[in-house]
Amino acid sequence: REGAAPEGGWPAVDWDFTQREIAKAQGLNVDVDWSNMTDEERRRALLDEELVHVMPRVSEANSLSQEMERNITFQTMIEQMVGPGEQEPHSTVIVNVRDAATGVDFFWDKQKFINRVFLMREMYERVSDGLLDLSALPKEEDPFWD
């Protein structure tokens, strides 16, 4: 029957589901069987998961920066690290934050970046509602600055 719900019903469509579908369309492997993976395949799958969470937020942060004329750009990067007590390097997602006016780069880890995006959203809402004048905002209160 055309248009009928599949057996078990339709999946819940939320933000995470949508981002995973976009990531699949872009070639990232997000539907993984962890039990049959090698250690290297697991590391790659975890990196793909990080990218699925960070990349859309980088686009959002760039849009917010442009909309509020902050002159800051964001770019997703992958960094190779060797942690304390580790023998092998592992990859992790970081965000390059560039002040276009000065050319200064900052590097934020995933969690710091995600936290800052939430603050950017709040700042945008306050600016849109006329509750915040960006010209009077001290740098230490600006989520775009480090």
Side-chain angles (χ1 to χ4, degrees):
R1 194 172 104 191
E2 193 173 313
E7 186 175 318
W10 295 105
V13 178
D14 58 9
W15 192 87
D16 286 330
F17 177 84
T18 304
Q19 295 309 313
R20 292 174 68 76
E21 290 299 308
I22 291 169
K24 279 197 273 188
Q26 293 174 346
L28 291 176
N29 184 14
V30 295
D31 292 323
V32 295
D33 178 7
W34 295 96
S35 63
N36 294 325
M37 296 178 115
T38 65
D39 286 345
E40 182 57 35
E41 289 170 329
R42 281 189 195 103
R43 282 192 287 273
R44 177 63 191 186
L46 288 170
L47 186 61
D48 286 349
E49 280 289 323
E50 284 188 54
L51 289 168
V52 166
H53 284 89
V54 172
M55 289 172 61
R57 288 177 173 96
V58 165
S59 295
E60 179 184 6
N62 280 317
S63 295
L64 289 167
S65 175
Q66 186 176 11
E67 184 71 24
M68 291 186 281
E69 300 177 355
R70 302 317 289 160
N71 212 19
I72 304 291
T73 59
F74 301 88
Q75 181 179 10
T76 306
M77 299 180 77
I78 298 174
E79 179 179 58
Q80 288 275 324
M81 300 176 63
V82 178
E86 294 179 349
Q87 300 294 325
E88 295 291 319
H90 66 277
S91 299
T92 188
V93 174
I94 61 171
V95 177
N96 179 356
V97 183
R98 174 173 274 258
D99 180 342
T102 65
V104 174
D105 289 315
F106 299 98
F107 297 94
W108 292 349
D109 64 34
K110 179 180 111 179
Q111 196 56 52
K112 180 176 185 171
F113 172 70
I114 289 171
N115 289 340
R116 292 290 183 97
V117 171
F118 283 110
L119 295 172
M120 291 172 200
R121 290 175 188 157
E122 290 174 3
M123 186 169 109
Y124 179 75
E125 287 178 21
R126 291 174 49 214
V127 168
S128 296
D129 293 343
L131 302 173
L132 178 64
D133 176 10
L134 290 176
S135 64
L137 184 68
K139 277 195 177 185
E140 53 273 358
E141 293 179 26
D142 188 342
F144 289 90
W145 298 96
D146 201 17

